[in-house]
């Protein structure tokens, strides 16, 4: 795209019609980025990685081919600024299109419809040296390419699609979708649209954190009652129904260890042993393909992700740890009192990462209609995540209280880590029998 623009190629007029200014956090200053503290947006930007790729990969190639990249054009068309602009154009406007089968017709059909995340271009960094790369947190907290996503995305073609990329998006409003045959792409309406109504091509109803990171906007719509009960401000009724909260496994590990330390006998002399054992279990979890980030959705019947419950049981219950190794399979997602209490503490730690309270954010949105755009967007993202955490914590407290009163479900005391039995068992299923 940079070459096409520099050489006034076939697509230069199309590129000239695309925006050169973006409201995405990639272009925010440090003060504005600080407003996103606690969210996962900043750590997913990949700005430093992108700029390192520009310096170490792109510039050497450009410098080595003066026949393709005349030196006098480099300061104008191949700068870091243009690199970020074109990368952001791809991130915000491209489509992931599956290669059409050899016998595909040009007629639109459900089998040739593009992905649910039609405009999602999170491709591996090997294919595109830009923060659009699909990344996950490794167990050191750094960013790394997800190999499974890499294999999956290799089959897709990242495409800029003139005209189709003009359509806006809004939660729950999709009424058109991209279809393709062997020789053409078609944006086709999926439901009746009245004259004067807007055509929306939505990408999988993403949460505001992702909408802001990728596209520079947020959704601000009516929310379900489960997220607005007890809020003192009217603005609490607005947000993105698709919002989620990401919970890192290191916070779960800290919460689990805190509980184990408090129940160890005697506590002081077991700290290093408990930490080493916890790390061993986390390593096993990751080796078995377990996630290190858990996605928390607004409260539902299940309340907590099954893999999160499974990890807490693995960390806190010696019997479950032994069974997991024997079966080479993580524990079942059984929620007992210990699981709920440890998860509650992990969520409180997650909640503490934000600046200010939910009420502060809601009051700011309710009283200040002239907020700078970046601050407004950041506040909406923060508030949406805080609402989910508050709602889940409320449900957890009610469930823990009910279990305490009932006394019928196991609270894991008999086999939890740190107890004398769990730490000193012999080869008959005890600690010494672990691999």
């Amino acid at each position: 795209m940079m070459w096409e623009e520099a050489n006034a190629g076939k697509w230069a007029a199309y590129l000239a019609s695309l925006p050169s200014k973006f409201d995405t956090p990639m272009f925010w200053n440090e003060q504005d980025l600080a407003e996103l503290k606690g969210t996962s947006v900043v750590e997913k930007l990949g700005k430093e990685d992108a700029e390192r790729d520009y310096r170490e990969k792109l510039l050497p190639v450009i410098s080595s081919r003066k026949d393709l990249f005349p030196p006098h054009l480099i300061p104008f068309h191949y700068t870091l600024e243009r690199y970020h602009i074109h990368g952001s154009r791809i991130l915000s406007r491209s489509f992931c299109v599956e290669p059409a089968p050899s016998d595909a017709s040009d007629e639109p059909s459900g089998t040739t419809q593009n992905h649910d995340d039609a405009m999602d271009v999170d491709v591996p960094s090997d294919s595109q040296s830009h923060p659009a790369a699909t990344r996950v947190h490794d167990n050191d907290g750094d960013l790394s390419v997800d190999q499974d996503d890499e294999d999956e995305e290799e089959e897709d073609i990242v495409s800029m699609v003139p005209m189709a990329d003009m359509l806006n998006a809004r939660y729950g409003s999709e009424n058109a979708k991209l279809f393709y045959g062997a020789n053409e792409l078609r944006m086709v309406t999926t439901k009746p649209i009245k004259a004067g109504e807007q055509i929306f091509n939505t990408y999988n109803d993403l949460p505001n954190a992702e909408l802001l990171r990728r596209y520079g906007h947020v959704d601000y719509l009516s929310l379900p009652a489960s997220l607005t009960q007890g809020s003192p401000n009217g603005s609490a009724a607005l947000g993105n129904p698709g919002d989620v909260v990401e919970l890192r496994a290191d916070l779960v590990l800290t919460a689990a260890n805190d509980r184990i330390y408090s129940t160890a006998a005697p506590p002081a002399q077991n700290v290093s042993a408990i930490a080493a054992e916890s790390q061993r279990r986390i390593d096993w979890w990751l080796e078995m393909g377990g996630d290190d980030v858990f996605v928390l959705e607004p409260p539902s019947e299940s309340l907590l992700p099954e893999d999160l419950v499974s990890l807490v049981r693995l960390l806190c219950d010696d019997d479950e740890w032994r069974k997991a190794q024997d079966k080479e399979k993580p524990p079942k997602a059984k929620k007992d009192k210990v699981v709920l209490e440890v998860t509650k503490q992990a969520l409180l730690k997650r909640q503490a990462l934000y600046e200010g309270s939910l009420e502060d954010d809601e009051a700011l949105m309710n009283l200040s209609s002239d907020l700078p755009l970046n601050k407004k967007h950041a506040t909406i993202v923060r508030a949406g995540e805080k609402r989910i955490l508050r709602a889940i914590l409320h449900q957890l407290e009610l469930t823990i209280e009910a279990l305490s009163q009932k006394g019928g479900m196991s609270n894991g005391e008999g086999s939890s880590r740190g107890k004398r039995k769990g730490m000193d068992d012999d080869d008959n299923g005890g600690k010494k029998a672990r691999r």
Side-chain angles (χ1 to χ4, degrees):
M1 290 170 65
M2 296 168 77
W3 184 93
E4 189 79 15
E5 185 178 66
N7 290 272
K10 175 182 178 181
W11 297 104
Y14 165 63
L15 295 175
S17 74
L18 299 179
S20 291
K21 293 184 178 180
F22 295 87
D23 295 318
T24 53
M26 176 67 74
F27 298 92
W28 290 15
N29 59 39
E30 291 300 320
Q31 183 178 355
D32 287 342
L33 287 174
E35 296 287 343
L36 290 167
K37 182 180 178 181
T39 73
S40 59
V41 176
V42 176
E43 62 189 25
K44 289 184 177 181
L45 290 181
K47 187 172 183 178
E48 292 182 0
D49 292 340
E51 295 185 352
R52 182 169 54 251
D53 285 346
Y54 171 80
R55 294 189 302 270
E56 298 178 1
K57 298 179 181 179
L58 184 64
L59 279 184
V61 170
I62 290 174
S63 301
S64 69
R65 292 298 305 270
K66 296 180 180 180
D67 55 327
L68 295 177
F69 309 102
H72 70 279
L73 294 180
I74 294 178
F76 301 98
H77 296 286
Y78 300 98
T79 63
L80 177 61
E81 179 185 12
R82 299 308 298 173
Y83 178 70
H84 278 314
I85 288 173
H86 283 292
S88 294
R89 289 171 170 178
I90 294 171
L91 183 63
S92 63
R93 289 176 173 253
S94 65
F95 294 76
C96 284
V97 180
E98 294 177 358
S102 57
D103 59 347
S105 69
D106 289 339
E107 295 301 318
S109 69
T111 58
T112 58
Q113 182 173 311
N114 67 325
H115 295 304
D116 289 339
D117 52 348
M119 297 179 74
D120 178 358
V121 66
D122 274 6
V123 296
S125 59
D126 288 346
S127 302
Q128 179 186 341
S129 300
H130 187 266
T134 297
R135 298 176 183 275
V136 294
H137 294 85
D138 61 22
N139 58 331
D140 292 322
D142 297 326
L143 289 169
S144 59
V145 173
D146 186 323
Q147 187 64 45
D148 292 337
D149 286 345
E150 183 177 25
D151 295 340
E152 195 174 296
E153 293 290 343
E154 281 179 349
E155 299 179 359
D156 294 340
I157 300 173
V158 179
S159 307
M160 301 297 289
V161 187
M163 300 299 292
D165 63 10
M166 294 173 60
L167 300 182
N168 284 331
R170 187 175 65 193
Y171 180 90
S173 301
E174 181 178 78
N175 52 20
K177 206 163 185 69
L178 191 69
F179 292 77
Y180 50 91
N183 301 307
E184 67 180 12
L185 297 169
R186 296 181 184 179
M187 185 64 73
V188 182
T189 59
T190 57
K191 60 183 68 173
I193 303 174
K194 297 179 181 179
E197 290 184 341
Q198 186 168 179
I199 303 173
F200 290 103
N201 174 232
T202 300
Y203 13 90
N204 203 28
D205 288 337
L206 296 174
N208 274 341
E210 284 300 292
L211 290 178
L212 181 61
R213 181 180 71 88
R214 300 180 187 186
Y215 313 112
H217 70 87
V218 297
D219 281 343
Y220 204 46
L221 308 169
S222 296
L223 292 173
S226 61
L227 289 176
T228 61
Q229 291 177 348
S231 175
N233 298 302
S235 63
L238 298 177
N240 185 341
D243 275 343
V244 298
V245 176
E246 294 187 1
L247 175 66
R248 300 195 314 266
D250 63 317
L251 296 179
V252 180
L253 175 62
T254 301
N257 282 348
D258 286 347
R259 182 190 182 280
I260 296 165
Y261 295 151
S262 67
T263 59
Q269 70 183 43
N270 288 299
V271 171
S272 60
I274 288 171
E277 177 62 16
S278 295
Q279 187 60 52
R280 183 185 182 192
R281 297 188 188 191
I282 280 287
D283 291 343
W284 182 90
W285 169 266
L286 294 173
E287 288 174 5
M288 297 300 293
D291 290 329
D292 59 356
V293 176
F294 306 99
V295 178
L296 306 175
E297 299 179 348
S300 62
E301 186 175 345
S302 60
L303 189 59
L304 299 174
E306 290 189 353
D307 53 349
L308 170 58
V309 175
S310 179
L311 176 60
V312 175
R313 289 176 62 81
L314 185 78
L315 291 172
C316 295
D317 193 315
D318 285 336
D319 289 341
E320 291 295 335
W321 166 233
R322 287 189 287 268
K323 292 176 184 177
Q325 292 179 98
D326 292 340
K327 297 179 179 180
E328 296 187 346
K329 184 178 180 181
K332 293 182 179 180
K334 178 184 176 184
K335 294 189 286 288
D336 57 28
K337 189 176 179 182
V338 169
V339 167
L340 298 179
E341 288 176 342
V342 169
T343 303
K344 175 185 173 181
Q345 293 305 312
L347 294 183
L348 289 173
K349 294 178 185 298
R350 177 68 178 85
Q351 193 176 55
L353 296 178
Y354 300 100
E355 292 285 355
S357 67
L358 173 58
E359 287 71 26
D360 293 335
D361 290 340
E362 290 176 346
L364 187 62
M365 290 185 289
N366 198 38
L367 299 176
S368 303
S369 59
D370 58 346
L371 284 176
L373 184 63
N374 292 350
K375 185 177 181 68
K376 178 180 179 180
H377 283 171
T379 305
I380 291 173
V381 170
R382 290 196 314 260
E385 296 185 359
K386 290 176 183 178
R387 286 191 196 101
I388 293 174
L389 284 172
R390 182 182 65 179
I392 295 177
L393 282 166
H394 177 66
Q395 291 297 321
L396 278 176
E397 289 168 357
L398 292 178
T399 306
I400 292 171
E401 183 180 353
L403 287 178
S404 298
Q405 293 176 354
K406 183 189 299 184
M409 182 179 287
S410 169
N411 63 8
E413 291 292 333
S415 57
S416 61
R417 285 177 56 199
K419 292 291 183 179
R420 176 68 66 182
K421 179 179 184 298
M423 298 298 294
D424 294 341
D425 272 349
D426 57 18
D427 286 352
N428 297 321
K431 189 175 193 297
K432 296 178 182 177
R434 299 190 183 113
R435 66 178 179 84

